[in-house]
Amino acid sequence: MSSNLYPAFGVLLVDDEASFLRSFSLILETQGGINHLYQCQDSRDAMQVIVENPIGLVLLDLTMPHLSGEALLQQIVEEHPDIGVIIISGLNQLETAVNCIRLGAYDYFIKTTEENRLLDGIHRAIRMQEMRLENLEMRRRFLSDTLDRPEVFADIITRDKGMRSVFQYLETVSASSQPVLITGESGTGKEAIARAIHTLSGRRGPLVCVNVAGLDDNIFADTLFGHQRGAFTGADKARAGMIDQAGGGTLLLDEIGDLSLASQVKLLRLLQEGEYYPLGSDRPKRIHARVLVATHQDLDQKQRDGEFRKDLYYRLRTHQVELPPLRQRQGDIPLLLDHFLAEAAEDLGRSKPPVPKELVALLRNYAFPGNVRELRALCFDALGRHRGSVLSMDVFRQAVGQEGAILESEADPAMPLFAPDQPLPTLQEVADMLVAEAMERAQGNQSRASRLLGISQPALSKRLKKSQS
């Protein structure tokens, strides 16, 4: 998109009074943040405007010459049933309102109604249309199993079906202005997902990331909203907040689960009203950035425990993606291993060494508490220590061994050998792991290792050569 339009679909204003069209358009833009607007002063032209433009919502007057609002409402409902219609009339008549709702109008407002109530109703209708369009788009994508813009996700190394479903969902909600809640364990790639959402949205402003963990209420407000000169001691000059810096782009609030209750109130007001006050200012400013939030914590549990506001939680989870941990993406381990080793080799100015086959089997049975970030760190550490021809497994064995020691000390004796919710390793993978463990215990002595395994030394030697080829 060349500019940030809200909503993604057009809102058509139909009224025979030119002065009302001008003033109402100004209110929608300045107070409602609604700038994807079309105007029609002659009701006879409205259907043509709908055909020629991506209209999703019509704000319709009732009393107009030539073609009445009720007649136009019936035409829109019959020919374009997917378009929402809100009646905004000068008539305060219950019977007329009831009849319009019966004909298919989404809502009915009186022109003299206070502006906030009218804007709230229009925003509700926009959200309903956004959800309907997203559901249709989601159904289309899942049935066809396609990605329209796979290049956006090129930096996220995966062939996992669960991650592909996440990508399809993100393409579906990318045009929405509503917040997105990104959840997942530490190291699963939440910031990479935020970058993908920002790119998909086509917003012209930047992606601005703020880690809110540890910010008290005053620092949070100053960081987000900025301040005027003289707002507090030491405020020698005005400073723009992160919302201003994000401009018409995207604002990511990371570690949102650590936000204090007082700051949660400020964030809720920002999302509900779409405006904020810089510290020391009595003039509100509108937010033009889309808000994304990320956390590794269970917000559902936190709101049940009273540590996170329910109203904010439900506002944030309008759109939600949960990233699977690496232990649930075992098919991605070989891809990520190869990618990170190549990245480390380039960074260190070295060639990428061959990888022993048993390494993948070893890693597939590791819990990876640090997820993708941990695997990347292990690859860089292993290549930094590499001295031989084939990549040493020592760094990886040490990580797996430490985790194994923790699990062993805490394990229930009745616990099954393999987790029931995880795929079983193949016989070949188990055999490779046994060989690697035997060689580790025998300190590289093949004769001793073969006795531990109960096979001949030539058989072990043949297996080792095969795994390294």
Side-chain angles (χ1 to χ4, degrees):
M1 285 190 280
S2 59
S3 61
N4 296 329
L5 295 176
Y6 173 71
F9 52 82
V11 178
L12 173 61
L13 282 60
V14 184
D15 197 295
D16 62 308
E17 298 180 23
S19 58
F20 177 77
L21 287 176
R22 286 194 300 270
S23 61
F24 192 41
S25 296
L26 185 62
I27 290 171
L28 291 176
E29 288 196 52
T30 57
Q31 299 184 33
I34 302 169
N35 60 357
H36 196 175
L37 299 173
Y38 298 84
Q39 296 182 10
C40 179
Q41 192 174 344
D42 189 330
S43 56
R44 294 172 296 182
D45 299 331
M47 296 302 290
Q48 190 61 33
V49 175
I50 290 173
V51 169
E52 295 175 352
N53 298 282
I55 305 299
L57 180 65
V58 177
L59 308 181
L60 179 61
D61 185 27
L62 279 186
T63 309
M64 295 181 291
H66 310 301
L67 186 64
S68 71
E70 284 192 46
L72 183 55
L73 169 62
Q74 292 183 64
Q75 283 191 31
I76 295 172
V77 170
E78 289 174 5
E79 299 181 29
H80 303 280
D82 293 337
I83 294 178
V85 181
I86 290 180
I87 304 297
I88 302 177
S89 173
L91 301 175
N92 187 3
Q93 297 180 357
L94 179 60
E95 184 178 350
T96 302
V98 170
N99 188 52
C100 288
I101 300 299
R102 183 182 60 81
L103 290 173
Y106 176 78
D107 213 333
Y108 186 105
F109 291 97
I110 311 303
K111 286 184 179 179
T112 55
T113 301
E114 62 182 62
E115 292 173 0
N116 288 341
R117 182 169 170 268
L118 177 56
L119 289 174
D120 286 345
I122 294 171
H123 279 129
R124 281 197 304 272
I126 288 174
R127 285 195 292 272
M128 288 290 291
Q129 279 293 83
E130 286 179 335
M131 284 189 288
R132 186 189 64 78
L133 293 171
E134 286 162 10
N135 287 336
L136 290 174
E137 182 63 13
M138 205 177 307
R139 187 183 308 167
R140 181 189 71 81
R141 290 181 191 274
F142 287 154
L143 288 176
S144 61
D145 193 27
T146 59
L147 287 174
D148 289 345
R149 299 183 61 189
E151 73 281 358
V152 172
F153 308 101
D155 292 337
I156 303 175
I157 311 300
T158 184
R159 288 179 186 163
D160 183 71
K161 289 184 178 179
M163 289 296 290
R164 184 175 179 84
S165 296
V166 168
F167 298 164
Q168 290 173 325
Y169 178 74
L170 294 181
E171 284 193 339
T172 301
V173 304
S174 62
S176 171
S177 62
Q178 298 301 310
V180 180
L181 171 60
I182 308 169
T183 60
E185 297 178 7
S186 295
T188 50
K190 295 186 287 294
E191 188 169 334
I193 290 296
R195 287 196 298 270
I197 295 172
H198 174 67
T199 302
L200 287 169
S201 72
R203 289 175 168 266
R204 66 179 183 271
L207 170 65
V208 175
C209 303
V210 185
N211 190 319
V212 300
L215 299 185
D216 66 28
D217 187 48
N218 290 330
I219 296 177
F220 173 78
D222 188 30
T223 301
L224 251 65
F225 307 146
H227 62 254
Q228 297 288 90
R229 181 181 178 184
F232 50 83
T233 304
D236 299 328
K237 58 182 180 180
R239 185 180 70 83
M242 292 299 186
I243 296 175
D244 268 350
Q245 293 179 34
T250 305
L251 177 66
L252 170 63
L253 303 180
D254 200 5
E255 302 299 347
I256 196 70
D258 294 323
L259 200 61
S260 70
L261 288 171
S263 296
Q264 290 176 30
V265 174
K266 290 182 171 62
L267 179 58
L268 178 63
R269 287 175 181 165
L270 174 70
L271 296 175
Q272 284 182 334
E273 300 169 13
E275 60 183 29
Y276 62 97
Y277 291 85
L279 299 185
S281 173
D282 57 0
R283 299 183 63 182
K285 301 181 72 173
R286 288 209 63 81
I287 178 172
H288 297 291
R290 186 184 192 180
V291 176
L292 312 179
V293 297
T295 182
H296 69 279
Q297 300 190 44
D298 185 348
L299 292 191
D300 187 47
Q301 184 61 50
K302 285 182 74 74
Q303 62 92 12
R304 288 200 298 269
D305 294 340
E307 299 174 2
F308 202 87
R309 292 182 62 96
K310 291 184 179 181
D311 45 7
L312 176 59
Y313 173 61
Y314 292 123
R315 171 71 69 170
L316 291 175
R317 62 171 297 179
T318 303
H319 301 305
Q320 180 177 2
V321 291
E322 182 170 1
L323 303 184
L326 184 54
R327 61 183 172 274
Q328 294 178 9
R329 296 168 47 192
Q330 293 187 359
D332 284 344
I333 290 177
L335 295 173
L336 290 165
L337 184 65
D338 182 71
H339 174 76
F340 290 141
L341 287 174
E343 185 181 357
E346 182 179 355
D347 183 67
L348 296 171
R350 307 176 65 176
S351 58
K352 184 167 74 73
V355 177
K357 290 184 178 179
E358 60 267 27
L359 177 56
V360 172
L362 179 72
L363 296 179
R364 279 180 170 167
N365 289 275
Y366 177 48
F368 277 106
N371 291 289
V372 177
R373 185 185 295 130
E374 181 183 8
L375 177 57
R376 182 180 186 274
L378 289 175
C379 289
F380 272 72
D381 190 19
L383 200 60
R385 299 170 185 268
H386 175 66
R387 295 295 179 269
S389 57
V390 178
L391 182 70
S392 170
M393 292 174 55
D394 290 347
V395 169
F396 303 97
R397 284 196 185 110
Q398 185 179 6
V400 172
Q402 289 172 350
E403 179 70 9
I406 295 171
L407 293 175
E408 185 178 352
S409 65
E410 298 176 351
D412 183 345
M415 196 177 241
L417 181 60
F418 299 104
D421 62 337
Q422 299 298 320
L424 287 170
T426 65
L427 288 174
Q428 183 62 49
E429 289 173 343
V430 172
D432 288 341
M433 290 175 62
L434 283 171
V435 169
E437 180 64 22
M439 289 295 291
E440 177 74 14
R441 294 187 182 191
Q443 297 181 335
N445 187 304
Q446 291 190 20
S447 296
R448 290 174 56 194
S450 64
R451 288 196 296 272
L452 290 172
L453 293 169
I455 61 176
S456 67
Q457 191 274 332
L460 175 59
S461 180
K462 184 179 178 180
R463 180 177 287 277
L464 287 171
K465 288 178 181 177
K466 184 179 178 181
S467 67
Q468 293 173 4
S469 61

